[in-house]
Amino acid sequence: MNFRQDGHALAAERRTRFFSRTAVGADVVVAFQPANRGYLTGYFSMAQDIVPGYRSAVVATASKLVLVTGAADAGPALEWVGGADALFRYGTFYFESASDQLDLDVGCPTYPDFDAALIAAVDAVSHPGDTIGLDLVSMNDPMAAPLLERLQPIQPVSVFTALAEARCIKLPGELERIHHATKLVELGLETVRTTLRPGMTEAEIAAVMTSEMVAGGARPYFVSVTSGPRTALADAYPTGREIGRGELLRIDAGCVVDGFCSDMARTFVIGEPDALIAKRHDAIVQGLHRELELVRAGVSADSLFRETIETVRRHGIPDYRRHHCGHGLGIGGYEMPIIAAGVETSLQADMCLCVETPFYELGWGGMMIEDTIVVTETGYEPITTISQELFVC
């Protein structure tokens, strides 16, 4: 399935919706954050993933966008935008060209550094009197200092919150990508369920998970496979540790399809679980079921969190504690809202959430169920489809 074929149309739909929001307050948006750049353009940069500190930006209006990229990123970016006039590159990297249409040296000047390329891009897109929006929490962020100096006396506004809020509500095309990414994790979990044997290593199990992701056209996002006492380590990389009979195996994994993430988790045991494992797993299942019962548009994240925690406590883990019981999911693995104490944000229809009730006890182990759902006016629609049971292998 090639989601990139309609990626341009989906990004254009996002821009149209975003700039129609009264909360935006900007005619031109300059996005520095990787998730916001992908949201506005549909272009997801490998250079961003592999080069720490790589600087790039998007300058966008409702009808136009340009990319500010490093010279090495200009080739992949050109493939996406389709024309060199939409690129403002900086630095040095050499692409030869067999065609004038693909010649980056025609219509795509190179600037000495990121700041110079960014200022040129903003000048090319904006008009006198336009309000410029930056996706920065503070206008004192040094990342934007040269641009702010160039724009004087115009005072940019922050669109950080407006973009975060817009990304909360998913379009159908975005949900299709999350569905597909989730299905690939489920395929990996089902394969593990049917092949898990004593003596398999965490690394071997992780290879099963990632092979399903890659075969399905996704990029592995994270694959946490832990066994025995290591299951209490939350987000930990797999090792060569072999899983033995009676031990827990916890898998928390996600992949990325055309920029959109999945994130889900399940717990396994080889052989019949002892009474404590069964009791604790039942408690977190009951908590998750209660959380799902309460999900609907209008419910506050705070009330959802508190009732979930209390339910787990009542059903077998009296001292259960969590910093959150879920989070938004989309281009980012953690998006608004966070299902946590004190978060008064109300759920809205078409939010995509990961709901979860993990339990970790160092020296004993950990267990986890995490599902992905879409909020509706009256409840939710599941994206995760496999059983929430403790998988006994």
Side-chain angles (χ1 to χ4, degrees):
M1 187 176 298
N2 186 3
F3 286 105
R4 292 197 74 185
Q5 290 179 348
D6 66 344
H8 286 284
L10 184 58
E13 186 179 357
R14 287 197 291 260
R15 291 194 302 275
T16 298
R17 188 180 68 167
F18 175 72
F19 279 99
S20 68
R21 292 165 56 92
T22 57
V24 174
D27 304 296
V28 180
V29 165
V30 181
F32 299 94
Q33 310 299 330
N36 291 334
R37 297 200 306 265
Y39 178 80
L40 292 170
T41 67
Y43 174 62
F44 298 93
S45 166
M46 180 179 283
Q48 183 67 60
D49 294 333
I50 63 176
V51 181
Y54 170 61
R55 300 184 72 187
S56 180
V58 170
V59 183
T61 68
S63 59
K64 185 175 181 179
L65 66 86
V66 298
L67 302 179
V68 180
T69 73
D73 199 20
L78 176 65
E79 178 189 45
W80 180 252
V81 298
D85 58 344
L87 297 180
F88 289 73
R89 58 178 173 161
Y90 67 93
T92 303
F93 192 90
Y94 298 105
F95 288 103
E96 307 303 336
S97 175
S99 162
D100 288 343
Q101 292 181 331
L102 297 177
D103 193 342
L104 282 167
D105 293 326
V106 176
C108 181
T110 300
Y111 296 87
D113 54 40
F114 171 78
D115 293 326
L118 177 62
I119 289 169
V122 173
D123 287 344
V125 172
S126 62
H127 299 91
D130 280 349
T131 300
I132 309 296
L134 310 181
D135 70 337
L136 301 174
V137 176
S138 170
M139 290 300 108
N140 295 322
D141 192 316
M143 183 184 301
L147 177 61
L148 293 175
E149 183 178 352
R150 168 66 180 82
L151 292 174
Q152 291 297 333
I154 297 173
Q155 293 295 317
V157 299
S158 174
V159 294
F160 180 88
T161 300
L163 276 164
E165 291 175 346
R167 284 168 45 200
C168 284
I169 310 301
K170 302 302 186 288
L171 295 167
E174 296 171 333
L175 291 174
E176 288 178 3
R177 288 155 172 78
I178 296 171
H179 268 281
H180 187 64
T182 301
K183 184 62 179 177
L184 296 178
V185 179
E186 290 185 324
L187 287 172
L189 290 171
E190 290 288 7
T191 302
V192 170
R193 187 179 184 180
T194 58
T195 60
L196 183 61
R197 299 289 184 274
M200 289 184 71
T201 67
E202 295 170 354
E204 289 170 338
I205 296 164
V208 172
M209 298 296 299
T210 55
S211 66
E212 294 288 0
M213 297 173 185
V214 174
R219 170 173 62 85
Y221 172 38
F222 71 100
V223 180
S224 179
V225 177
T226 53
S227 62
R230 295 194 76 244
T231 54
L233 301 184
D235 300 321
Y237 285 111
T239 68
R241 185 186 187 280
E242 296 181 358
I243 182 171
R245 290 189 179 277
E247 289 192 328
L248 289 169
L249 174 72
R250 187 178 56 79
I251 301 178
D252 184 9
C255 59
V256 180
V257 171
D258 195 34
F260 285 82
C261 304
S262 59
D263 180 4
M264 61 172 294
R266 288 294 186 269
T267 305
F268 302 72
V269 64
I270 293 186
E272 288 301 316
D274 64 30
L276 185 58
I277 288 175
K279 177 182 178 181
R280 287 177 165 177
H281 195 272
D282 180 69
I284 67 172
V285 169
Q286 295 299 326
L288 189 68
H289 286 177
R290 181 59 177 156
E291 185 171 12
L292 290 170
E293 286 175 1
L294 295 173
V295 166
R296 61 180 47 80
V299 171
S300 74
D302 175 82
S303 64
L304 196 60
F305 172 82
R306 294 183 186 279
E307 182 62 26
T308 301
I309 294 295
E310 288 304 318
T311 301
V312 177
R313 289 173 177 172
R314 289 195 304 270
H315 284 84
I317 309 179
D319 299 321
Y320 186 67
R321 299 182 298 172
R322 281 290 295 165
H323 58 295
H324 74 70
C325 288
H327 53 88
L329 182 74
I331 289 177
Y334 274 77
E335 295 192 339
M336 293 173 57
I338 304 298
I339 309 302
V343 178
E344 297 298 338
T345 303
S346 294
L347 302 188
Q348 300 177 56
D350 297 323
M351 281 183 169
C352 184
L353 302 178
C354 288
V355 289
E356 56 182 306
T357 50
F359 175 72
Y360 308 110
E361 183 178 295
L362 294 173
W364 176 76
M367 50 184 55
M368 186 177 188
I369 314 165
E370 184 175 22
D371 278 4
T372 305
I373 63 170
V374 182
V375 179
T376 68
E377 292 292 345
T378 57
Y380 72 95
E381 294 178 356
I383 292 180
T384 306
T385 61
I386 64 174
S387 171
Q388 297 165 342
E389 68 184 293
L390 176 65
F391 290 153
V392 179
C393 300

